Amino acid sequence: MNTVTQAIGPWITDDGLRVFVVLTLIIGGSAAFLSGRGLARGWRPLWRLFFYMALLAGAVRFFDYALFDGKLLSPYYYAATYLVLLAAGLLGFRSMRTTQMVTQYHWLYERTSPLTWKER
């Protein structure tokens, strides 16, 4: 193990930084981002994202347990996974909602950044 993995790894995940980056950030984060976009696209309320990310965090933790012999029932690692997936889901939700608002209501709103809009 290198020095960075030894210093950061135990605080983020029980398997090391590489497993956390690949499984949680890349695979789980991509699924969370797309879930957030899908919820926004269907004009679903934001509170549903919190429930779906809890389910997705459970699935990611199960894959960590099944594939890399991680701890399945650890509240700390579940919470860390949940927060990462929630951030990715919120990012996807907000980016899609911004696109919807400035596209469907172009006479009312203009885009100010990828995640915000303002009235004209």
Side-chain angles (χ1 to χ4, degrees), residues 71-92:
K71 296 178 185 173
L72 180 62
L73 300 175
S74 170
Y76 172 77
Y77 296 129
Y78 178 80
T81 301
Y82 178 74
L83 291 176
V84 168
L85 297 180
L86 185 61
L90 288 170
L91 185 66

Side-chain angles (χ1 to χ4, degrees), residues 18-119:
R18 265 183 274 188
V19 172
F20 178 76
V21 167
V22 171
L23 188 62
T24 305
L25 290 181
I26 296 175
I27 297 173
S30 299
F33 183 82
L34 292 174
S35 296
R37 285 179 54 92
L39 283 172
R41 183 172 297 212
W43 293 97
R44 302 287 189 258
L46 180 63
W47 65 265
R48 286 190 183 185
L49 184 69
F50 293 92
F51 174 70
Y52 291 145
M53 292 306 104
L55 295 177
L56 185 59
V60 169
R61 289 305 307 156
F62 175 75
F63 285 132
D64 184 45
Y65 166 74
L67 298 175
F68 302 105
D69 203 27
K71 296 178 185 173
L72 180 62
L73 300 175
S74 170
Y76 172 77
Y77 296 129
Y78 178 80
T81 301
Y82 178 74
L83 291 176
V84 168
L85 297 180
L86 185 61
L90 288 170
L91 185 66
F93 186 91
R94 186 65 181 191
S95 67
M96 176 53 72
R97 186 55 48 95
T98 301
T99 300
Q100 286 175 315
M101 294 301 284
V102 300
T103 302
Q104 294 182 12
Y105 304 108
H106 56 86
W107 66 91
L108 290 175
Y109 304 110
E110 61 183 327
R111 185 183 306 264
T112 56
S113 76
L115 301 177
T116 60
W117 66 88
K118 68 176 186 174
E119 291 186 15

